[in-house]
Amino acid sequence: MTQSVVVQVGQCGNQIGCCFWDLALREHAAVNQVPARSHEPPRLSARVVGDGGSISKGKICSLKARAVLIDMEEGVVNEILQGPLRDVFDTKQLITDISGSGNNWAVGHRVFGSLYQDQVLEKLRKSAEHCDCLQCFFIIHSMGGGTGSGLGTFLLKMLEDEFPEVYRFVTSIYPSGEDDVITSPYNSILAMKELNEHADCVLPIDNQSLFDIISKIDLMVNSGKLGTTVKPKSLVTSSSGALKTRHQKPFDAMNNIVANLLLNLTSSARFEGSLNMDLNEISMNLVPFPQLHYLVSSLTPLYTLTDVNIPPRRLDQMFSDAFSKDHQLLRADPKHSLYLACALMVRGNVQISDLRRNIERLKPSLQFVSWNQEGWKTSLCSIPPVGHSHSLLALANNTCVKPTFMELKERFMRLYKKKAHLHHYLQVEGMEESCFTEAVSSLSALIQEYNQLDATKNMPVQDLPRLSIAM
Amino acid sequence: MSIVTVQLGQCGNQIGFEVFDALLRDSQSSHGLCCKRENEAYQASCKERFFSEEENGVPVARAVLVDMEPKVINQTLSKAAQSGRWKYGQHACFCQKQGSGNNWAYGYSVHGPRHEESIMNLIRKEVEKCDSFSGFFIIMSMAGGTGSGIGAFVTQNLQDQYSNSLKMNQIIWPYGTGEVIVQNYNSILTLSHLYRSSDALLVHENDAVHKICAKLMNIKQISFSDINQVLAHQLGSVFQPTYSAESSFHYRRNPLGDLMEHLVPHPEFKMLSVRNVPHMSENSLAYSTFTWAGLLKHLRQMLISNAKMEEGIDWHVRPPSSGLPSLGKKSLNKDLHFNTSIANLVILRGKDVQSADVGKKFRAYIHQYTKFGIEEEDFLDSFTSLEQVVASYCNL
């Protein structure tokens, strides 16, 4: 069984990470409550992300998370350590500083990067040593801030040099339109250059979409329509049963969605199923060209209704929802853009015929690139997530990420033309204007690639001549 | 004479389990219409072919299980042990921790050479346990990384080391609408390599078996275990002991040899398919009766019209060709047939070659393969050899 290490950087990264570990423990506890048949080894799903666990009296003790927590100011990490999850993290896995990066990518990347390079490397090596077979690093960070975006992307280069064979999956929270950090376009574009070059796979998410999803759920829960009472535990946003009983903070619900995403991504690697899909297969199947590694994700269902009398058209509905733009974790509309590849990871009691039927049903309404007309990757995992009977995670490599990038570039150019706030960055040693221009050109090149693919969208499929053989 | 089975990858292992289960269940079933002595002879022959005897009487399958990640093998081993009627050898499996990631190049160029010695050792041990060894039966899929990549590598090794024994590869053709995105690449590379090193390729398509499950067996929610069971049923029909035409008192001693003798007349034409009648769910069995004449008629119809099952035959007839091998005295009818329908299969799948070609033109995913040493020339080689196969079949 392979292991993954989670690296959480910055305030955003650490808060999401906290929700992630909470959910992982809940899932582990739920799965292991069902007594395993005597000759079967206990499902050591937690070993994938945790180390040395043992279960006594139904509570999990001495399970240590395979995680490294990094933040340049102490507030968030301290809060985690004082909360109920303190036993899960090893205190030696933390790196903190006092002053923070001040929403400045350059400070995070250059100043703290060089300052903490050795320490970070040591912690990462330590975690890697505890692993039998390390397969993947999950990096969680935001793009708009200073630490998450600057130091987080500095780590990527380091990981690539130090552990070239280990995959780097990055979950990036992109700044939404009404973002409260003014320099977020600078930070994001500078970070994007690093993501382009050093990440294996990026899952872009933005706050606005998460917020929309939450509103939709709230509407559903509070609408009071007949037969729509929702099982509380099943809300993808719920923290019920959580180890911590703290006040619900506004970002909690949104962070839970991302935590669910990460758990579902690794579910097929941790649990058994009739068609397994490991993490290396995600990269293999969904990344046709090394630069185009941005995957739009969508999670369904968002809740389960308690009324069991509702007939099971749920399953087909789940598949349709996965492709609607309301369920995407990024502001994007994949249905109207070009698909390069699509992966469907199903959990729970769903069989191959259901999967086939739904793919046949949905295919006509989706446009795939001409050389990958059947670009579907499917996987079936038998264990559903907590509170649901089945769930679906759809990952799409789709040109609909282009508008997000173009918008980001526009916001950047608006600031950059006036050279606003630039001096904060240029004050940092090693930063010059060329860094900015390089970053923008790297992004432009990426957008251009997507444009080229879009141009082939409505062209008829060419029939290439077959190789002729002399008999 | 005994057959050693090598199960590769998730698909291979899941199917392999069902095959052994079906074989043993059939041989021990009490439905037989023959006398007791016959039944015992049949049981003994079947057991000797696929199982070896252990001290406490539980038959141990003559199989080697290979996979690059542990989950499926653990499941398979425990399912077999659970049934109580048979099991796999404790040391007959080889697994690693990290899978092949659906990458043929990774399976063939990295995992293969790295673990060559251990895998070949395991196979050798199984072969040594056999009193008289007939050949290898290798079960693998074409779409994934382990089954296809390591399968091609192992078959090549077996060709080198056991050049006198016969190898039949059971390959699973993936669903047309995609299970794995790079399945076209993996399939092309596998087929071209297997064509050089294997003696016969028995092809099963997921699409066809799925249809059988849906139409004939009336299963509403088809799962992979249903599909595997139908496959096992078909394979069982192929491999169970049969009488030969000459003497009707002894079971055939050399199943693989006899099959190949009749079905693979020329090394250029190696692809085989199976047509099996009847297929139906256990529930309807009690309400149906069969006669040999009826079954044979159905089978002939299926062959002429190139259909995979009794229902829904499309009657655009093409001229039939080579003859049928002799059938055995069994309760089920099977026919292992090699004819121009396979050519059509290969041509249809030539479409797959073409789509792989198109993909390659745009250089999609190539970087994943070149990472592990498969260059574009290798792809070109594979395309050429397969085009040659298609052309040969077309010429028939």
Side-chain angles (χ1 to χ4, degrees), chain B residues 115-155:
Chain B
H115 308 299
E116 182 179 347
E117 223 180 285
S118 334
I119 299 181
M120 298 311 284
N121 271 341
L122 280 179
I123 297 183
R124 192 166 0 105
K125 282 208 199 103
E126 274 305 319
V127 174
E128 281 165 11
K129 272 199 256 176
C130 301
D131 275 334
S132 63
F133 176 62
S134 157
F136 291 105
F137 181 54
I138 302 158
I139 315 182
M140 52 199 259
S141 71
M142 292 219 296
T146 304
S148 65
I150 298 191
F153 185 80
V154 166
T155 314

Side-chain angles (χ1 to χ4, degrees), chain B residues 113-303:
Chain B
R114 207 186 278 172
H115 308 299
E116 182 179 347
E117 223 180 285
S118 334
I119 299 181
M120 298 311 284
N121 271 341
L122 280 179
I123 297 183
R124 192 166 0 105
K125 282 208 199 103
E126 274 305 319
V127 174
E128 281 165 11
K129 272 199 256 176
C130 301
D131 275 334
S132 63
F133 176 62
S134 157
F136 291 105
F137 181 54
I138 302 158
I139 315 182
M140 52 199 259
S141 71
M142 292 219 296
T146 304
S148 65
I150 298 191
F153 185 80
V154 166
T155 314
Q156 225 168 296
N157 264 30
L158 290 176
Q159 174 81 331
D160 295 331
Q161 288 192 14
Y162 299 89
S163 43
N164 285 332
S165 355
L166 298 163
K167 290 172 292 303
M168 176 181 277
N169 286 64
Q170 157 71 46
I171 53 184
I172 304 296
W173 208 290
Y175 283 101
T177 49
E179 289 169 30
V180 172
I181 295 180
V182 289
Q183 64 191 37
N184 292 331
Y185 283 161
N186 292 340
S187 307
I188 300 295
L189 290 164
T190 312
L191 267 181
S192 58
H193 281 258
L194 281 183
Y195 227 80
R196 280 177 260 164
S197 36
S198 171
D199 296 311
L201 299 175
L202 182 55
V203 182
H204 270 107
E205 299 166 53
N206 268 347
D207 274 316
V209 183
H210 191 106
K211 260 193 237 149
I212 294 181
C213 281
K215 294 242 172 76
L216 297 178
M217 312 220 17
N218 258 325
I219 306 180
K220 289 283 178 278
Q221 243 199 340
I222 303 171
S223 66
F224 267 123
S225 59
D226 296 319
I227 294 189
N228 291 343
Q229 273 168 8
V230 171
L231 264 170
H233 179 83
Q234 293 199 339
L235 288 176
S237 316
V238 171
F239 283 116
Q240 270 160 355
T242 61
Y243 285 147
S244 59
E246 302 87 45
S247 86
S248 42
F249 292 112
H250 299 290
Y251 286 102
R252 277 191 204 251
R253 300 288 296 159
N254 189 358
L256 281 182
D258 291 331
L259 280 174
M260 312 270 195
E261 195 189 346
H262 286 125
L263 294 171
V264 188
H266 187 281
E268 188 69 13
F269 305 110
K270 281 183 191 163
M271 299 188 71
L272 311 172
S273 75
V274 181
R275 303 271 190 291
N276 198 328
V277 292
H279 266 302
M280 52 176 50
S281 61
E282 301 247 329
N283 302 332
S284 348
L285 211 52
Y287 303 104
S288 338
T289 56
F290 302 108
T291 60
W292 278 116
L295 287 177
L296 280 172
K297 177 160 162 264
H298 265 150
L299 201 57
R300 193 163 164 278
Q301 286 177 334
M302 276 164 62
L303 284 173

Side-chain angles (χ1 to χ4, degrees), chain A residues 112-137:
Chain A
F112 287 123
S114 48
L115 202 57
Y116 285 100
Q117 186 172 9
D118 297 323
Q119 273 192 45
V120 171
L121 204 51
E122 200 201 303
K123 312 272 181 211
L124 288 171
R125 276 206 204 114
K126 242 312 170 36
S127 326
E129 273 165 30
H130 281 294
C131 296
D132 222 348
C133 174
L134 179 62
Q135 188 181 39
C136 178
F137 282 108

